[in-house]
Amino acid sequence: MSELPMFSAAELARMPAWGAGASPALPEEYRIFLQLPDTVTERTRRLAAELTAGAANPFAAATAIETYLRRYPYDLDVPELPDQVRDVADYFLFDLKRGYCDYYATAFVVLARLAGLPARLVTGYAPGSWLPAERLW
């Protein structure tokens, strides 16, 4: 089962940042959600910094990344990755510039982690039923 938290945009904007010099500090068990492979390119790093520069809080940074990614057209008919592609997020953001769910999710997680936002990629779903009284699936 999973819970469905209900926060307004205003409540999310008031939540404190985690990270260097922030209080509270990022819990140790979340640090794994900031790790990135060595294949992340410099231009992807620059883009993350540009998108989140001046963000007042983590919610604003995440929203800036989401807004940017919405510029890319959704397309299920994309070519296979060329053999020379070493970083899928970079390829999606700068070369392909279109794609489907997995591309958006990958790019979001990479950009978020570069911005210091703990993020993880989850795909698929599990069958179940919504239990309104418990607010759980």
Side-chain angles (χ1 to χ4, degrees):
M1 294 191 150
S2 63
E3 289 188 40
L4 183 62
M6 300 299 282
F7 296 103
S8 69
E11 289 170 314
L12 290 170
R14 286 193 301 270
M15 289 187 172
W18 284 330
S23 179
L26 179 67
E28 187 63 37
E29 63 269 19
Y30 289 6
R31 292 191 192 286
I32 191 171
F33 302 119
L34 291 175
Q35 293 178 357
L36 289 161
D38 294 337
T39 57
V40 175
T41 63
E42 186 57 37
R43 65 184 181 173
T44 301
R45 292 176 187 281
R46 281 193 309 270
L47 177 61
E50 290 169 14
L51 293 176
T52 60
N57 53 60
F59 180 65
T63 301
I65 294 168
E66 175 195 3
T67 300
Y68 181 81
L69 292 176
R70 286 184 181 274
R71 299 176 11 177
Y72 293 91
Y74 188 86
D75 187 352
L76 292 172
D77 188 30
V78 295
E80 287 192 32
L81 289 175
D83 290 338
Q84 71 273 16
V85 171
R86 290 185 23 98
D87 189 88
V88 174
D90 179 88
Y91 176 68
F92 170 69
L93 291 167
F94 299 102
D95 300 315
L96 187 60
K97 298 183 180 178
R98 61 190 171 96
Y100 50 87
C101 309
D102 293 342
Y103 285 97
Y104 289 93
T106 298
F108 185 91
V109 167
V110 169
L111 293 169
R113 287 182 176 196
L114 287 168
L117 303 173
R120 61 184 205 149
L121 178 67
V122 178
T123 62
Y125 65 94
S129 301
W130 176 248
L131 305 173
E134 293 87 358
R135 299 186 51 76
L136 298 171
W137 282 98

